[in-house]
Amino acid sequence: MTRPGEFSPATVQLIWDRDKGRCAMPGCERPLVRERRAEPFGGWSVQHREARGPGGVKRNSDRPHLVLPSNGVLLCGTGTTGCHGDVEHHRDNVDPAWGFTVSRLGIARPAEVPLFHATFGWVRLDDSGGWETAA
């Protein structure tokens, strides 16, 4: 069962397919293996571009977009290792303009914020698991 604030298995599959099973961080060459989700070294996870925050979505019921594909991006590692760890804890390693994090202030939704994707370049991720080139 999917807990509040987590991506459903179907959404994770959409994100995996959209990102072609590759870490979306520019410059990362680490291979990802579908069966190794959440393993700290050599594994992968889905980054919430707009963070859930303390308490997850339960405390933020006005933000249902948090579990949509536009808010998720495939990264190597976990929230403490690999590129996912860099986004979460070593932000000086990741250019903030690349769009891997989106403000929780609600100024813009993740679907509106361009992302510099390793495979596709500058894109906007959509809520259906696709993307379009960002102008």
Side-chain angles (χ1 to χ4, degrees), residues 9 11 26 81 90:
T11 301
T81 64
H90 307 285

Side-chain angles (χ1 to χ4, degrees), residues 50 63 65 102-109 112:
E50 181 178 332
R63 300 189 310 150
H65 61 279
V102 175
S103 172
R104 292 191 333 215
L105 296 177
I107 298 166
R109 298 286 186 235
E112 301 165 341

Side-chain angles (χ1 to χ4, degrees), residues 18 111-117 119-126 130-135:
R18 180 197 64 213
E112 301 165 341
V113 177
L115 173 76
F116 187 46
H117 195 285
T119 303
F120 310 121
W122 283 105
V123 297
R124 281 191 183 81
L125 305 178
D126 67 34
W131 59 273
E132 64 180 30
T133 301

